[in-house]
Structure formats: structure tokens, C-alpha cells
Amino acid sequence: MSHVYDRVALIGLGLIASSMFWAIKRAGLAGEVTGYARSAETRETARRIGLCDRICDSAAEAAEGADLVVLCVPVGAMGNVAQEIGPVLKPGATVSDVGSVKRHVIEAVSPHIPEGVHFVPAHPLAGTEHSGPESGFAELYDNRWCLLVPAEGSDSEAVAKLRDLWERMGANVEEMDADHHDLVLAVTSHAPHLIAYTMVGVADDLRRVTDSEVIKYSAAGFRDFTRIAASDPTMWRDVFLTNKDATLEILGRFTEELFALQRAIRTGDGEQLFDYFTRTRAIRRGIIEAGQDTDAPDFGRGKAAQ
Ligand code: NAP
């Protein structure tokens, strides 16, 4: 099969980058993949497990001469990395990223992209609660969405090539505007994560229920919350700091609904509770019908869209 790019550079070597590398290898999508991670420890691990064809000791060294450079670091670190690699980028190259927030990344990265280099932001909606160079696997993106967020007037050939890469890594690709992306993700991912973090924190604070009871009797609802709440603290801190407006908007609405349900419980309004739960059940059915989860009893625990 033909390569999509001769040389791809992955900056940051965690779950998302390592899964990209294995998916690129699986389908033979690049001639060479270089990689860089901040710590010597991660670079050492990458060399040991054969992650990337060549591990470099600086982001600039990895990016130099690459046809595609993908920034796979936490959202708050994107700007600094872009600043470092900007001067070595090859004319005609494409820079992309995988950040969970798009408006902030575009504002942080764009000023460092030189004339003649294309910037095509992206976000694969796939992940697990695991992180680091050893957590990746080739199938992560299979049948998951990857959203491309090109600026108006972006080079159509550069966008088409990146789409081809993601499709051949197994993903379904769609284009979306940055602000809309950030609002959609606030609803589908960011606010739910905050709620899970809160619920696990509440259980932990509730001294009348002992820790061992929480663990021993943890039913599906709580167990799913703990899985989500185990996600990487740096990544999620950055998501909330950089998708502030959309997340606060959704959390405001969430709080209003929560109060309404709280009142229904207090006043014994069973009809309201029943109607509400009937409406939400239909959404779950819709997700299964759309092929984004299975109806198995351990739904979503192996892989989760983030
Ligand atoms: P991860 O497993 O925690 O890996 C992060 C990588 O970035 C590590 O290699 C780390 O290097 C490096 N890094 C961290 N801080 C850095 C800094 N200040 N400068 C340079 N490099 C730095 O993270 P991930 O889950 O792959 O997430 C990467 C990106 O993908 C994030 O922007 C996240 O929002 C996005 N994303 C994540 C998911 C998900 O579910 N996890 C899904 C979609 C998109 P060291 O190992 O040396 O510390």
C-alpha cells in the first residue's frame, strides 16, 4: 500500500501518539516515523518497545524534514512545542495536533506556523483512561470519529491528505468549526468527566461509607465513574482551563437540571422522574444504534470515546 506521507513526526509519545504509530505501521502509511517526548524516561521506553522508527532528543530534531508533524502533548503545552519546532518546519509540510480543545490550540499554535506550512487541527474521539507510551494500540481509532478543524481557506490538498491518513488509521472523519467542536465536546466529554471526578470525590469524602465498601460494592454506575475519573490529571486540568466558556455553559445547565430532579425527588414527583429517565434512555439506544458503543454489560469499559 502506498504511503500517505514520507515522514511523520509525533511530538509527545503518550496514548494518542503511540496508538497513531501502531495504526500507521499496521497500514504502512508512512516511510518513516520520528518521535520525541519530554522526559528521557519516556524516550527510553519508546526505544525499548520499538515505538517510532527513530526517537529524537528534541522536538525540533524530530520535526525537521517531516512532511507531517502531529502535536500529541497536553493542550496547555501545544504553544511552546509549536514555538520550538516553527523555525525548522519544511516548506509545504503540514502541522496537526490531537488536542481535546480546538479554539485554544489554534490560538496558541497558529502564530508559530511559518508561511508555506499548513496547519490542520484535528481531534480523534477515542481514548482510554490509560496514558503513556506503553498504553497505545493499533485498533484505538477503528470506527471512531476524528474531527478535522481546518481554518477557512486552508489548503484543500493538505486537509485531504490528513483525512486520508486518519481514514486509513481506521477512523471516520468529519470537518467541524472550532467553536462548535468545543461546545459539542463540552457536552459529550468535558462536563461528563467533571461530573465523574466530582462523584468519585464525593464517595471518597463520605466517611459513613468506608473505602472498602465503596470498592467492594461498587455497582456499574460508580465503577464507570471511577474509570473516567482515573484519566490523566494533566490532560484534564488543561481541558478545563482551555475550554472554560463552553464547559461552564454546560455545567450551568447541568446544575439547573440537577436541581429540578432534586425537587422531583423531594416532592415525590414520580411522573417527572419516570419521564426524564425515559427520555434519556432513548439517547443511550441512539448511541448503540450509531455503532459508537455495544450493548454488552461492561459497556465502554475497555475503550471510551473522549
Ligand atoms: P499522555 O499519554 O499523558 O502523553 C502525553 C505526552 O506529552 C507524553 O509523551 C509527555 O511526555 C508529553 N508532554 C507532557 N507535557 C509536555 C510538555 N510540557 N512539553 C512537551 N511534552 C510534554 O497523553 P495523551 O492521552 O496521549 O494525550 C495527548 C493529547 O491528546 C492531549 O492534548 C489530549 O487532550 C489529547 N487527547 C487525549 C485523549 C485521551 O483519551 N487520552 C483523547 C483524544 C485526544 P513525558 O512522557 O515525557 O512526560
Short mmCIF file of all heavy atoms in Angstrom, two decimals, residues 100-130:
data_model
loop_
_atom_site.label_atom_id
_atom_site.label_comp_id
_atom_site.label_asym_id
_atom_site.label_seq_id
_atom_site.Cartn_x
_atom_site.Cartn_y
_atom_site.Cartn_z
N SER A 100 -7.75 17.95 22.77
CA SER A 100 -9.18 17.78 23.05
C SER A 100 -9.95 19.09 23.00
O SER A 100 -11.17 19.09 23.09
CB SER A 100 -9.35 17.16 24.44
OG SER A 100 -8.62 15.97 24.52
N VAL A 101 -9.24 20.22 22.91
CA VAL A 101 -9.87 21.54 22.81
C VAL A 101 -9.30 22.18 21.55
O VAL A 101 -8.11 22.06 21.28
CB VAL A 101 -9.52 22.39 24.05
CG1 VAL A 101 -10.09 23.80 23.93
CG2 VAL A 101 -10.04 21.71 25.32
N LYS A 102 -10.14 22.87 20.76
CA LYS A 102 -9.62 23.35 19.49
C LYS A 102 -9.37 24.85 19.42
O LYS A 102 -8.33 25.26 18.92
CB LYS A 102 -10.55 22.90 18.34
CG LYS A 102 -10.56 21.39 18.17
CD LYS A 102 -9.43 20.79 17.32
CE LYS A 102 -8.00 20.93 17.72
NZ LYS A 102 -7.43 19.73 18.35
N ARG A 103 -10.28 25.70 19.91
CA ARG A 103 -10.07 27.14 19.79
C ARG A 103 -8.75 27.55 20.45
O ARG A 103 -7.94 28.26 19.87
CB ARG A 103 -11.26 27.90 20.41
CG ARG A 103 -11.13 29.39 20.47
CD ARG A 103 -10.95 30.07 19.12
NE ARG A 103 -12.05 29.81 18.21
CZ ARG A 103 -11.98 29.95 16.88
NH1 ARG A 103 -10.85 30.33 16.31
NH2 ARG A 103 -13.02 29.67 16.12
N HIS A 104 -8.51 27.08 21.66
CA HIS A 104 -7.30 27.45 22.38
C HIS A 104 -6.05 26.99 21.63
O HIS A 104 -5.07 27.73 21.52
CB HIS A 104 -7.31 26.87 23.79
CG HIS A 104 -6.02 27.11 24.52
ND1 HIS A 104 -5.79 28.24 25.27
CD2 HIS A 104 -4.87 26.39 24.57
CE1 HIS A 104 -4.57 28.20 25.75
NE2 HIS A 104 -3.98 27.09 25.35
N VAL A 105 -6.08 25.76 21.14
CA VAL A 105 -4.89 25.23 20.44
C VAL A 105 -4.62 26.04 19.18
O VAL A 105 -3.47 26.39 18.89
CB VAL A 105 -5.07 23.72 20.11
CG1 VAL A 105 -3.97 23.23 19.18
CG2 VAL A 105 -5.10 22.89 21.39
N ILE A 106 -5.67 26.39 18.46
CA ILE A 106 -5.49 27.19 17.23
C ILE A 106 -4.84 28.53 17.58
O ILE A 106 -3.89 28.97 16.93
CB ILE A 106 -6.84 27.37 16.51
CG1 ILE A 106 -7.29 26.02 15.92
CG2 ILE A 106 -6.75 28.43 15.41
CD1 ILE A 106 -8.72 25.97 15.44
N GLU A 107 -5.32 29.16 18.65
CA GLU A 107 -4.75 30.46 19.03
C GLU A 107 -3.31 30.33 19.53
O GLU A 107 -2.48 31.21 19.29
CB GLU A 107 -5.63 31.12 20.10
CG GLU A 107 -6.86 31.75 19.45
CD GLU A 107 -7.94 32.18 20.42
OE1 GLU A 107 -7.69 32.15 21.64
OE2 GLU A 107 -9.04 32.51 19.93
N ALA A 108 -2.99 29.23 20.20
CA ALA A 108 -1.64 29.05 20.74
C ALA A 108 -0.63 28.64 19.68
O ALA A 108 0.54 29.03 19.74
CB ALA A 108 -1.68 28.00 21.87
N VAL A 109 -1.08 27.85 18.69
CA VAL A 109 -0.14 27.27 17.71
C VAL A 109 0.03 28.15 16.47
O VAL A 109 1.15 28.34 15.98
CB VAL A 109 -0.60 25.83 17.33
CG1 VAL A 109 0.18 25.30 16.14
CG2 VAL A 109 -0.49 24.89 18.53
N SER A 110 -1.08 28.69 15.95
CA SER A 110 -1.04 29.41 14.66
C SER A 110 0.07 30.46 14.54
O SER A 110 0.73 30.53 13.49
CB SER A 110 -2.39 30.10 14.39
OG SER A 110 -3.39 29.14 14.34
N PRO A 111 0.33 31.28 15.58
CA PRO A 111 1.37 32.30 15.41
C PRO A 111 2.76 31.73 15.12
O PRO A 111 3.63 32.45 14.65
CB PRO A 111 1.37 33.04 16.76
CG PRO A 111 0.09 32.69 17.42
CD PRO A 111 -0.32 31.36 16.89
N HIS A 112 2.97 30.45 15.41
CA HIS A 112 4.31 29.86 15.23
C HIS A 112 4.44 29.09 13.92
O HIS A 112 5.48 28.48 13.66
CB HIS A 112 4.63 28.93 16.41
CG HIS A 112 4.50 29.63 17.73
ND1 HIS A 112 5.31 30.67 18.10
CD2 HIS A 112 3.62 29.45 18.75
CE1 HIS A 112 4.95 31.11 19.30
NE2 HIS A 112 3.92 30.38 19.71
N ILE A 113 3.37 29.06 13.12
CA ILE A 113 3.42 28.30 11.86
C ILE A 113 3.92 29.24 10.77
O ILE A 113 3.29 30.25 10.46
CB ILE A 113 2.01 27.77 11.48
CG1 ILE A 113 1.43 26.90 12.61
CG2 ILE A 113 2.05 26.99 10.16
CD1 ILE A 113 2.16 25.62 12.90
N PRO A 114 5.07 28.92 10.16
CA PRO A 114 5.63 29.82 9.14
C PRO A 114 4.83 29.81 7.84
O PRO A 114 4.07 28.86 7.60
CB PRO A 114 7.04 29.27 8.92
CG PRO A 114 7.08 27.92 9.54
CD PRO A 114 5.91 27.75 10.43
N GLU A 115 5.02 30.84 7.03
CA GLU A 115 4.45 30.91 5.67
C GLU A 115 4.77 29.62 4.93
O GLU A 115 5.88 29.11 5.06
CB GLU A 115 5.18 31.99 4.90
CG GLU A 115 4.60 33.36 4.58
CD GLU A 115 3.13 33.45 4.33
OE1 GLU A 115 2.67 33.07 3.23
OE2 GLU A 115 2.44 33.96 5.23
N GLY A 116 3.83 29.10 4.20
CA GLY A 116 4.12 27.93 3.37
C GLY A 116 3.97 26.61 4.09
O GLY A 116 4.14 25.54 3.50
N VAL A 117 3.67 26.66 5.40
CA VAL A 117 3.39 25.41 6.15
C VAL A 117 1.89 25.43 6.48
O VAL A 117 1.34 26.47 6.84
CB VAL A 117 4.24 25.33 7.44
CG1 VAL A 117 3.83 24.15 8.30
CG2 VAL A 117 5.72 25.23 7.08
N HIS A 118 1.23 24.27 6.34
CA HIS A 118 -0.22 24.20 6.57
C HIS A 118 -0.50 23.72 7.99
O HIS A 118 0.15 22.80 8.46
CB HIS A 118 -0.86 23.22 5.58
CG HIS A 118 -0.40 23.43 4.18
ND1 HIS A 118 -0.71 24.56 3.47
CD2 HIS A 118 0.40 22.68 3.37
CE1 HIS A 118 -0.13 24.50 2.28
NE2 HIS A 118 0.55 23.36 2.20
N PHE A 119 -1.47 24.34 8.63
CA PHE A 119 -1.87 23.90 9.96
C PHE A 119 -3.30 23.36 9.87
O PHE A 119 -4.23 24.09 9.54
CB PHE A 119 -1.78 25.07 10.95
CG PHE A 119 -2.22 24.72 12.35
CD1 PHE A 119 -1.94 23.46 12.90
CD2 PHE A 119 -2.90 25.64 13.14
CE1 PHE A 119 -2.33 23.14 14.20
CE2 PHE A 119 -3.28 25.33 14.44
CZ PHE A 119 -3.01 24.08 14.96
N VAL A 120 -3.46 22.07 10.16
CA VAL A 120 -4.79 21.45 10.11
C VAL A 120 -5.06 20.77 11.45
O VAL A 120 -4.66 19.62 11.68
CB VAL A 120 -4.89 20.40 8.96
CG1 VAL A 120 -6.33 19.90 8.83
CG2 VAL A 120 -4.40 20.97 7.64
N PRO A 121 -5.72 21.46 12.38
CA PRO A 121 -6.00 20.87 13.69
C PRO A 121 -6.95 19.67 13.58
O PRO A 121 -7.79 19.62 12.68
CB PRO A 121 -6.70 22.01 14.45
CG PRO A 121 -6.39 23.25 13.68
CD PRO A 121 -6.22 22.83 12.25
N ALA A 122 -6.79 18.73 14.50
CA ALA A 122 -7.63 17.52 14.49
C ALA A 122 -7.88 17.05 15.91
O ALA A 122 -7.15 17.45 16.84
CB ALA A 122 -6.96 16.42 13.67
N HIS A 123 -8.90 16.22 16.07
CA HIS A 123 -9.18 15.63 17.39
C HIS A 123 -9.82 14.26 17.21
O HIS A 123 -10.99 14.17 16.82
CB HIS A 123 -10.12 16.55 18.20
CG HIS A 123 -10.47 16.00 19.55
ND1 HIS A 123 -11.58 16.40 20.25
CD2 HIS A 123 -9.86 15.06 20.32
CE1 HIS A 123 -11.64 15.74 21.40
NE2 HIS A 123 -10.61 14.91 21.46
N PRO A 124 -9.06 13.19 17.49
CA PRO A 124 -9.67 11.86 17.44
C PRO A 124 -10.52 11.64 18.68
O PRO A 124 -10.04 11.84 19.80
CB PRO A 124 -8.45 10.92 17.43
CG PRO A 124 -7.36 11.70 18.09
CD PRO A 124 -7.64 13.16 17.86
N LEU A 125 -11.77 11.22 18.48
CA LEU A 125 -12.65 11.00 19.64
C LEU A 125 -12.50 9.55 20.08
O LEU A 125 -13.38 8.72 19.91
CB LEU A 125 -14.11 11.29 19.30
CG LEU A 125 -14.40 12.66 18.70
CD1 LEU A 125 -15.91 12.90 18.63
CD2 LEU A 125 -13.73 13.77 19.49
N ALA A 126 -11.33 9.26 20.61
CA ALA A 126 -11.04 7.90 21.05
C ALA A 126 -10.01 7.99 22.15
O ALA A 126 -9.12 8.83 22.10
CB ALA A 126 -10.49 7.09 19.89
N GLY A 127 -10.14 7.14 23.12
CA GLY A 127 -9.16 7.15 24.19
C GLY A 127 -9.48 6.07 25.21
O GLY A 127 -10.46 5.33 25.06
N THR A 128 -8.64 5.96 26.19
CA THR A 128 -8.92 5.09 27.33
C THR A 128 -8.47 5.89 28.55
O THR A 128 -7.96 7.00 28.41
CB THR A 128 -8.11 3.78 27.29
OG1 THR A 128 -6.75 4.08 27.60
CG2 THR A 128 -8.19 3.09 25.94
N GLU A 129 -8.63 5.32 29.73
CA GLU A 129 -8.17 6.05 30.92
C GLU A 129 -6.67 5.86 31.13
O GLU A 129 -6.10 6.39 32.07
CB GLU A 129 -8.96 5.59 32.17
CG GLU A 129 -8.72 4.16 32.61
CD GLU A 129 -9.57 3.14 31.86
OE1 GLU A 129 -9.92 3.38 30.69
OE2 GLU A 129 -9.86 2.08 32.43
N HIS A 130 -6.01 5.11 30.24
CA HIS A 130 -4.58 4.86 30.40
C HIS A 130 -3.77 5.92 29.66
O HIS A 130 -4.23 6.48 28.68
CB HIS A 130 -4.24 3.46 29.88
CG HIS A 130 -5.00 2.39 30.59
ND1 HIS A 130 -4.85 2.14 31.93
CD2 HIS A 130 -5.97 1.55 30.15
CE1 HIS A 130 -5.68 1.17 32.29
NE2 HIS A 130 -6.38 0.80 31.24
#
